[in-house]
Amino acid sequence: MVTRVEWLEAGFELLAAEGAPAVTIERLTAKLGVTKGSYYHHFKGAPGFRTALLEYFEAQYTTRLIDTVEREPDAEPWAKLQHLLKLVLSDPDSAELEIAVRAWALQDAEVRAVQERVDEARTAYLRELCRGLKVDVDPDRLAQLLYLILIGSEQVLPSVPKGDLRELYAMTLRLATGETLID
């Protein structure tokens, strides 16, 4: 039997590769090689799957990252920021999924609400970290800039490679803090 997480991961794969219209029960069952019964065991139809997929997106790509960094509560903000950037830059498939969710958010109110909540949680956490840094710039604007670099790098075609994005972050943080990212 296919687990709930396997269904959601398959949904992510279809969403990232082909967009929201591709995420159908027929496509999902074909991808997983199972019948619709397993789908209905885990989800109450397409609306239930969509809600679960969005909750899983928020949990995996926002909450999990913040929680991972916060497992070291005594770490300095600079170390936490470095850890967060390392996590964000280590996922090779996240850009395609992020683009797909943002595109979907332009057409669906539920998705838009989730995207807004995700963006707010991410920028709030970045603001918290940047306020703990000793910087000669407005820490809230630095947090916003760091987030916009990520979002912008995913929106240009082709998207900015993770290595180049890391260099952009290193340069931005060096200019704002005088500190160098540690590899």
Side-chain angles (χ1 to χ4, degrees), residues 30-174:
K31 183 171 187 54
L32 293 168
V34 296
T35 64
K36 293 179 182 180
S38 175
Y39 177 88
Y40 288 110
H41 173 75
H42 294 291
F43 310 102
K44 291 184 168 81
F49 182 77
R50 179 182 65 191
T51 298
L53 189 68
L54 293 169
E55 289 170 353
Y56 190 60
F57 170 75
E58 186 172 9
Q60 290 299 109
Y61 289 90
T62 301
T63 308
R64 178 183 60 85
L65 298 176
I66 293 170
D67 289 350
T68 299
V69 172
E70 285 301 311
R71 282 193 195 116
E72 297 178 34
D74 296 332
E76 295 293 323
W78 180 249
K80 288 182 178 183
L81 181 59
Q82 288 183 55
H83 189 186
L84 179 63
L85 291 175
K86 186 176 277 189
L87 290 172
V88 168
L89 295 173
S90 68
D91 188 343
D93 301 321
S94 63
E96 289 81 10
L97 182 60
E98 292 276 347
I99 291 167
V101 172
R102 285 185 188 284
W104 193 12
L106 296 174
Q107 302 168 2
D108 185 296
E110 181 183 2
V111 181
R112 181 181 178 88
V114 170
Q115 186 65 66
E116 287 176 357
R117 191 170 57 243
V118 162
D119 286 342
E120 178 53 37
R122 290 171 178 177
T123 54
Y125 187 62
L126 279 169
R127 280 192 305 271
E128 178 185 324
L129 294 180
C130 288
R131 286 175 183 163
L133 301 175
K134 296 181 179 21
V135 294
D136 293 330
V137 297
D138 180 343
D140 291 352
R141 288 294 187 197
L142 177 59
Q144 185 178 28
L145 177 60
L146 293 174
Y147 192 56
L148 292 175
I149 289 170
L150 175 66
I151 301 308
S153 72
E154 295 170 344
Q155 296 301 312
V156 296
L157 294 175
S159 60
V160 176
K162 297 288 185 173
D164 292 353
L165 182 56
R166 186 187 185 294
E167 289 177 19
L168 288 170
Y169 276 129
M171 180 183 73
T172 302
L173 290 168
R174 188 174 51 254

